[in-house]
Amino acid sequence: MRVPQPPASVPAPAPLPTRRDDPLDPPPALGLLRTESPVSPLSFPDGATGLLLTRHRDVREILADERFSADRSSASSPIRRPAFRPEDRTGSLLFLDRPEHTRYRRLLTPFFTTRRMQALAPRVERIVADHLDALRAAGPPADLVPAFTLPIPSLVICELLGVPYADRARFHAWSADLLSITADTGRVAEARDALMGYMRELVAAKRRSPDDALLGSLITSGAGLSDAELGGIGRLLLVAGHETTANMLALGTLTLLTRPDQLDAFRRGAEAAGPAVEELLRYLSIIQFGVVRVAKEDVEIHGHPVRAGQTVVLSLPAANRDPEHFERPDELDVTRPPSQHVAFGHGIHQCLGQQLARVEMRIALTALFDGLPGLRLAVPPDEVPMRHDMFIYGVHRLPVSWER
């Protein structure tokens, strides 16, 4: 198949923009590209070239286009990190296409239905209340990351999966290394292997004595999953289930604390929490370097040729600030009606745990601002250490104080 040549005006490939002027806004260069070159040539650290998409409609289109694969075995990474291994695909919904993806998704979806997540709400409320009690007992000041935003989703996902919460220090450390863009390759490989070894031991224990949590239920379901498959499923859900929500909770709290008018709107009543959560998801878009797809065949995106095997990066932060789709996209408006943000992706790979994340964020943020009167930052906003060095954006620490 002859691949059409790109228009003469196409700029030379450039690296993915990562420099932020404001810690709560995407890199401004992404907005400029979205206006001037929404499908732009991208250069990768490994020397390869591909495309960067920054427009909302294009990002949604490619996320739903199965001519583009989620298999990262041969993909280039926009940010330097160790090479992806083919065996890392096993059990991981993120990196599989149909029919493998369909098989796993069908097995896991019943555990994450909206009804089931709503049924978990009382347990989430209890966990949140316990952590607020501990904060009040200790008194201000406090770092909300280890005291509140990290342990709540960690405990919930551990209970859902059947992972011992007592092991949290280990898997938190492994997750941090896996998601770092600055850790050396040896350290990342050690964390990857340690986490998989841990999951294999856990799966073996559950085969001997199954419980009714997710991993135990999969073992007794008759699905015939191998230990490697179960370990891959457990690894993905454990890391994604606490890292994403933990960082949204912390970054959402920072955002509301620095936007008093939006915090007032958020606190007007329980009915305000749902739209506020959706707006924070859109506005912050913590998958900061986008989503990677690989062309399965020679295709064309709005006049730009993509050869089979080339990598395309879909910028979720840029798409979620697209003025063609969102009115006043660079303004936070917690009363904004839901409007098809792509913070959870789109298409067959849309986040499996999105309903759980919504329940946790709605309950935790509401209780936090109700339960700690006068909650405020304990340091100037520019002294809050941001996660510029991580694949999932957020804050490393969130020092706060409140009225006793």
Side-chain angles (χ1 to χ4, degrees), residues 79-268:
I79 303 296
R80 188 177 298 279
R81 71 172 306 176
F84 182 85
R85 306 177 308 173
E87 57 264 38
D88 292 334
R89 299 171 65 253
T90 304
S92 179
L93 288 171
L94 286 180
F95 309 125
L96 297 173
D97 302 323
R98 299 181 199 267
E100 292 174 287
H101 177 274
T102 304
R103 177 188 175 220
Y104 292 128
R105 187 94 182 192
R106 284 176 177 167
L107 289 172
L108 294 173
T109 295
F111 294 96
F112 292 94
T113 62
T114 300
R115 177 177 294 181
R116 189 157 186 169
M117 295 304 96
Q118 291 297 335
L120 275 177
R123 178 58 183 146
V124 175
E125 289 169 352
R126 182 67 263 161
I127 292 170
V128 168
D130 289 345
H131 285 81
L132 284 173
D133 287 345
L135 277 166
R136 285 188 289 260
D143 179 356
L144 279 188
V145 172
F148 189 80
T149 64
L150 179 58
I152 289 168
S154 295
L155 184 51
V156 172
I157 197 64
C158 281
E159 291 187 359
L160 187 64
L161 290 176
V163 172
Y165 184 61
D167 295 336
R168 63 190 179 279
R170 289 197 288 168
F171 66 72
H172 285 167
W174 295 328
S175 297
D177 285 341
L178 286 170
L179 295 171
S180 171
I181 65 172
T182 58
D184 63 64
T185 56
R187 184 173 172 179
V188 174
E190 286 177 8
R192 177 191 61 204
D193 294 343
L195 182 54
M196 277 308 298
Y198 173 81
M199 294 308 304
R200 283 195 297 270
E201 292 176 3
L202 183 63
V203 167
K206 289 187 180 294
R207 284 200 186 277
R208 293 191 297 269
S209 181
D211 55 26
D212 59 359
L214 188 150
L215 289 174
S217 296
L218 288 175
I219 288 170
T220 58
S221 68
L225 294 171
S226 68
D227 286 4
E229 289 176 307
L230 289 163
I233 289 170
R235 176 184 60 178
L236 169 65
L237 295 180
L238 181 62
V239 174
H242 80 270
E243 280 282 352
T244 51
T245 306
N247 282 290
M248 269 305 308
L249 282 174
L251 195 58
T253 300
L254 172 64
T255 303
L256 291 172
L257 288 175
T258 56
R259 306 286 198 282
D261 59 326
Q262 296 302 304
L263 179 55
D264 288 344
F266 172 78
R267 299 183 67 178
R268 284 174 191 158

Side-chain angles (χ1 to χ4, degrees), residues 128 132 135 144 148 253 363-373 375:
V128 168
L132 284 173
L135 277 166
L144 279 188
F148 189 80
T253 300
I363 292 171
L365 288 173
T366 301
L368 177 66
F369 287 106
D370 286 346
L372 298 180
L375 185 66

Side-chain angles (χ1 to χ4, degrees), residues 285-298:
S285 300
I286 61 172
I287 308 302
Q288 63 171 331
F289 304 125
V291 173
V292 168
R293 291 290 183 264
V294 178
K296 295 180 181 178
E297 59 189 70
D298 292 346

